[in-house]
Amino acid sequence: MKVKITTPYIELQQLLKITSWIDSCGEAKIAVKKLNIKVDGVKEDRRGRKIYPGSVVEVEKSQYEVC
């Protein structure tokens, strides 16, 4: 699934929210510890991680391409 952004980057917690993995950014702290999240194939557990266009984020079995 492609996620289109209009800013130079998006934080991981914002991506989780717009893809409906969490309901609020406040839940992100717990979600990044519980969910299996990878950014460009590397395990990630920082909710504030900046995701740039061209990056692929995998949450559990779902993949999101930021563009």
Side-chain angles (χ1 to χ4, degrees):
M1 172 184 205
K2 292 190 179 215
V3 177
K4 293 183 181 184
I5 60 172
T6 58
T7 56
Y9 66 87
I10 186 171
E11 290 185 354
L12 179 58
Q13 61 189 353
Q14 294 168 320
L15 181 89
L16 292 173
K17 184 175 177 189
I18 64 172
T19 56
S20 299
W21 282 97
I22 58 175
D23 293 324
S24 70
C25 288
E27 294 176 15
K29 189 174 185 178
I30 296 167
V32 296
K33 302 295 180 193
K34 287 187 173 185
L35 296 173
N36 182 21
I37 301 172
K38 293 181 181 177
V39 177
D40 295 328
V42 179
K43 175 109 171 89
E44 185 58 66
D45 63 358
R46 296 174 291 165
R47 63 187 170 136
R49 164 74 188 266
K50 294 177 182 175
I51 311 295
Y52 294 93
S55 293
V56 176
V57 178
E58 186 177 327
V59 183
E60 296 299 326
K61 301 286 183 189
S62 302
Q63 280 193 343
Y64 304 96
E65 181 183 348
V66 178
C67 53

